[in-house]
Structures are given as C-alpha cells and as structure tokens.
Amino acid sequence: MTNLDLLDIASEFGNPIYVYDSAKIASQYQKLTSAFRSIRNLRINYATKALSNVSILKLMRQLGSGLDTVSIQEVKLGLAAGFEPHAIIYTPNGVSLKEIEEVAKMGVQINIDNLSLLEQFGAKHSKTPVCIRINPHVMAGGNNNISVGHIDSKFGISIHQIPHLMRIVENTAMKINGIHMHTGSDILDIDVFLHAAEILFDTAKNFKNLEFIDFGSGFKVPYQQNDIETNLEELGEKLSKRFIDFCKEYGHDLQLIFEPGKFLVSQAGHFVTQVNIVKQTTSTVFAQVDSGFNHLIRPMLYGSYHHIENLSNPKGKERFYSVVGYICETDTFGSNRKIAEITEGDLLVFRNCGAYCFSMASNYNSRYRPAEVLWYDGKAHLIRKKETFEDILHNQVEIVFSKESAEQKA
Ligand SMILES: *Cc1c(COP(=O)(O)O)cnc(C)c1O
C-alpha cells in the first residue's frame, strides 16, 4: 500500500480516516512466529484492545492467531469474528466475579490476577481450569503508564504472595492450567525479560498440571526513525532454548503463548487527516487538521510520537509546523515537526496508527468517530462506516419538561 493508495482511499471514503495494511499485519505475525520456530507448541493471542474491529479480528484468525481479551465485550467480539471459545483468553483487571463467571460459562480460558477473585471463583467453580497472572516485579522498559510489572502496579498477583496463593489453590482444590505475566509495553532489554521469565518458571514449578505459560507482550516497534526495535531473533533464540529446557525439567511439553497488540497492528495503521487552517503566530506555524484527541489521543495521553507526512505535497520544501487538532482544548499531535510545505486543504498522514488509536477514539465535542478501511489483496475494504448524527443521539433519552414543574415554581 502506497501513499497514492492512501490519497485514493481518502477521496473515495472521506477523511479523517484510519487505513490498515493487512500485509504488514501478516508480516509482523510471521516475524514473531518465525523467531520462535523451534517451539513445538507456540500460540500467538492477539491483544484485542489494540484494534478491535471485527474484520481485523477475522484477519487475525485467518493468520492462525488466538485472542487475548480484557472485557466480556471483547470476548463477544471474538466469538462474533468466529473464534472458538478455547482460542480466547480473558485477562481482566478489577472486574466483578459475575463477569468472570459469565465468560467462564462461554468456555473461554479465564486468567485471574488477584487473590480475592481467585478464592471466590475457586470456591464456587473448582472444576474450571484457571490461569493466574503473576507480577514478577521487574521493570521492563517504558514509562509508568505502560509498564505494569513493577512493585506498585495494580496488575497481577505478586510473587511475594505465592504462599497465600498456594493455600487458596489447595483449600479450593481448583485447577491451575496456566501461568501468565505481562510486564509492560516495551521490551528493550532482553535480559530483563529473561529475568522475569525465570521468575515465571520458578512459579510454574508449584503447579503440577500446567498446560501453558503465557509471557504476555511488550514487543517494541519503532515509532521514530532511530527508535530501537525489540530484537526478536535474539529473544526467540534465548527464550526458546530456556523454555525447551524448562519443559524437560517440568516433565511435559507446555504451550508457549505471547499476546502482542502493538507489535502486530501499530505499523499497519495510517491515519489520514486534512489541514483546515494554516495559522501563523509570532513564534509558530500551526497546521490545524480536521481531527483531535477525539480520534487520536495517544500523543496527548502519554506523549507518544506519530510521524507526520504531507501526502498532498510530498516533494515540497520542508518547514517547521506544530500539528494540532480542532478540539476546544489543547490537542497537539506534534510540535516543531519538519514537514513538506503545507497548504490549507492538504492531506496529512500519521504513522503507527494501528494500535490504541481508533480503539481509544471518542465522541468528544460531539464529533463523529471516523471510518476504518482495511487494505487487503490490493484493494480498499470499508470495515467501519463513519458515524452519523443519529449515532450521536442514539441512546440519549430526552426528558419532556412540563411547564408547571415543581422546580420551575421554586
Ligand atoms: C494490553 C495488553 C497486551 C498487549 O500489549 P501491547 O503492548 O499492545 O503488545 C497483552 N496482554 C495484556 C494482558 C494486555 O493487557
């Protein structure tokens, strides 16, 4: 898929618009499975929350992926996309026992990350196999918002609570069939990751009937030109060897699971917007686009970098711009960016917009959420229509005010 294809898509379906390249998703999937080719029983569970369009989920299924889900609604999306319940793992945080029970009833693999729910669930459903999410307390890269394995994290059962965990498992006679961790969003230091894996192996030894070990995600993809990418080949080589050795030690073969979100879809996503206004101030040239943090909140929420290019004037002389949105709040996509000269009406593209972009979009300022297109087999396929005004009013209930209401009299 080329920049010209993006321009064609915008002229056919309008803008702003999210476009996903299926070939990039497939090549990322293959890169990951190839790095772990020596593992006999490898499973990739795509993390649904990164990009949850049902057509994307279907594409993942076609590639051979399972799903990682964090809500009952994501589970239902997965089932709607044709996944078998057993190909879905449900890893919620802070949900009710009722929701967990409902998902378990569907035949989906449950992953529990706190002792309170483990005890309650085990006491009532000792026959349902459960995976437990461990917090190994290692800092694997990233900033605090996306690093979830450290000591103050709300995620997982602390390794220091293993004795308590074991007592619950024994008292309830519940079945533990998997061990899981998800330490953070960016694995840069492979040794840190391997260290966390050792903690997981140590924990695993406590359980005799495991079927799988789930190492979560944390694969880094480059956002900027000089960004470092997780060295997958190196990780694959080192972790596979250690995993195979562990299985021998453990006594039987286990499934190795990863649950990448960003790695599979980030680079496949392109967000195309149009410049409404070019505004010169005393210090800055603003390019204001027909979008804002209602469509793409990552730069404002956690300072993520999205490379921006001018699709309409790619060969233009480069100048410095601050690219901002139309929301009535500061919504800077990028400041002081070198971009080919922008004229009002030009189309800009934001890169790395596959993961946590559309899935975090909202209707703030009562704007519509944009359309989504999947580029597949050399063609553009609309996979979500742009919203309409009916969608904005949908679910709103209008009060009929009577003239003589008590409040008005008072
Ligand atoms: C969000 C999440 C993932 C995916 O993380 P990425 O950084 O997008 O790869 C995997 N596992 C769990 C439990 C998650 O919550």
Side-chain angles (χ1 to χ4, degrees):
M1 195 186 62
T2 65
N3 285 350
L4 289 178
D5 295 324
L6 286 174
L7 285 169
D8 285 346
I9 289 168
S11 84
E12 182 176 354
F13 300 101
N15 47 268
I17 191 160
Y18 278 102
V19 184
Y20 312 114
D21 182 358
S22 64
K24 182 66 187 175
I25 295 174
S27 70
Q28 289 293 101
Y29 187 86
Q30 265 122 38
K31 215 193 239 180
L32 190 54
T33 48
S34 151
F36 289 89
R37 59 194 169 272
S38 61
I39 301 292
R40 213 172 318 158
N41 196 351
L42 174 73
R43 177 146 203 105
I44 308 297
N45 285 337
Y46 167 60
T48 307
K49 72 179 187 291
L51 176 60
S52 49
N53 187 295
V54 76
S55 292
I56 298 293
L57 301 186
K58 281 185 160 178
L59 177 69
M60 293 299 177
R61 193 166 70 88
Q62 214 181 20
L63 292 172
S65 178
L67 284 190
D68 174 66
T69 58
V70 294
S71 70
I72 188 168
Q73 289 79 11
E74 284 189 353
V75 170
K76 288 179 177 172
L77 275 175
L79 295 173
F83 283 90
E84 297 291 335
H86 63 77
I88 304 176
I89 178 162
Y90 170 67
T91 307
N93 175 255
V95 304
S96 66
L97 176 64
K98 189 166 156 284
E99 183 169 317
I100 293 194
E101 288 177 323
E102 244 178 280
V103 174
K105 225 187 270 170
M106 297 172 179
V108 167
Q109 172 71 50
I110 303 296
N111 188 5
I112 292 182
D113 94 328
N114 64 84
L115 293 179
S116 168
L117 275 179
L118 189 73
E119 187 165 355
Q120 293 176 66
F121 189 87
K124 287 175 75 180
H125 312 280
S126 64
K127 297 217 154 44
T128 307
V130 164
C131 171
I132 44 181
R133 177 172 183 173
I134 299 297
N135 184 343
H137 302 308
V138 295
M139 278 288 269
N143 64 41
N144 279 334
N145 289 329
I146 51 176
S147 188
V148 293
H150 56 90
I151 196 96
D152 283 332
S153 162
K154 68 164 186 165
F155 299 97
I157 297 168
S158 166
I159 41 161
H160 305 303
Q161 292 175 306
I162 298 292
H164 189 181
L165 188 156
M166 292 313 295
R167 197 153 75 217
I168 291 171
V169 171
E170 277 158 29
N171 288 345
T172 58
M174 66 191 302
K175 294 192 173 54
I176 303 300
N177 68 339
I179 304 270
H180 168 275
M181 71 169 183
H182 173 63
T183 53
S185 231
D186 296 337
I187 306 172
L188 275 178
D189 190 335
I190 286 175
D191 290 333
V192 172
F193 189 86
L194 291 172
H195 174 63
E198 286 306 324
I199 294 171
L200 214 54
F201 291 139
D202 268 349
T203 309
K205 287 178 195 154
N206 289 299
F207 305 94
K208 295 285 158 279
N209 300 305
L210 293 183
E211 291 159 16
F212 64 88
I213 297 183
D214 185 337
F215 291 95
S217 178
F219 302 108
K220 190 169 167 59
V221 293
Y223 276 68
Q224 303 197 44
Q225 235 153 29
N226 297 323
D227 270 358
I228 316 161
E229 196 171 355
T230 303
N231 187 337
L232 266 189
E233 280 301 316
E234 186 189 342
L235 180 68
E237 212 169 287
K238 289 185 173 166
L239 184 61
S240 297
K241 185 174 178 304
R242 186 58 191 101
F243 185 80
I244 290 164
D245 285 348
F246 175 77
C247 288
K248 278 185 199 137
E249 215 179 300
Y250 185 72
H252 68 256
D253 246 6
L254 295 166
Q255 185 173 53
L256 190 163
I257 302 179
F258 281 115
E259 38 186 47
K262 198 188 278 177
F263 180 81
L264 293 179
V265 295
S266 174
Q267 293 159 293
H270 308 265
F271 183 47
V272 180
T273 65
Q274 186 159 31
V275 176
N276 285 333
I277 306 290
V278 176
K279 183 177 194 171
Q280 307 246 3
T281 67
T282 46
S283 59
T284 306
V285 186
F286 287 104
Q288 258 188 307
V289 297
D290 61 349
S291 182
F293 69 59
N294 51 328
H295 298 152
L296 174 55
I297 200 172
R298 303 183 77 247
M300 304 90 189
L301 190 63
Y302 37 65
S304 70
Y305 178 96
H306 292 268
H307 190 67
I308 305 170
E309 287 166 45
N310 187 349
L311 290 175
S312 305
N313 182 29
K315 300 224 161 69
K317 185 168 181 284
E318 288 186 321
R319 299 188 56 192
F320 285 94
Y321 296 94
S322 280
V323 179
V324 297
Y326 60 11
I327 290 295
C328 295
E329 239 165 284
T330 301
D331 55 353
T332 306
F333 290 113
S335 32
N336 217 27
R337 295 290 185 86
K338 215 168 164 192
I339 302 170
E341 185 157 24
I342 297 173
T343 311
E344 289 176 359
D346 282 357
L347 292 176
L348 305 187
V349 61
F350 296 71
R351 304 297 188 187
N352 283 71
C353 278
Y356 309 105
C357 293
F358 186 93
S359 64
M360 285 191 180
S362 76
N363 290 118
Y364 188 49
N365 280 203
S366 296
R367 295 282 181 186
Y368 307 141
R369 279 178 295 179
E372 293 177 288
V373 160
L374 180 64
W375 183 261
Y376 180 77
D377 253 0
K379 275 202 300 278
H381 302 263
L382 187 67
I383 58 170
R384 185 190 300 268
K385 295 185 226 167
K386 177 185 174 174
E387 286 178 329
T388 64
F389 189 63
E390 283 70 48
D391 295 316
I392 302 288
L393 272 180
H394 187 68
N395 281 341
Q396 297 197 42
V397 181
E398 287 183 55
I399 291 188
V400 182
F401 290 103
S402 77
K403 279 193 183 132
E404 295 288 303
S405 82
E407 275 174 43
Q408 278 163 3
K409 275 183 199 156

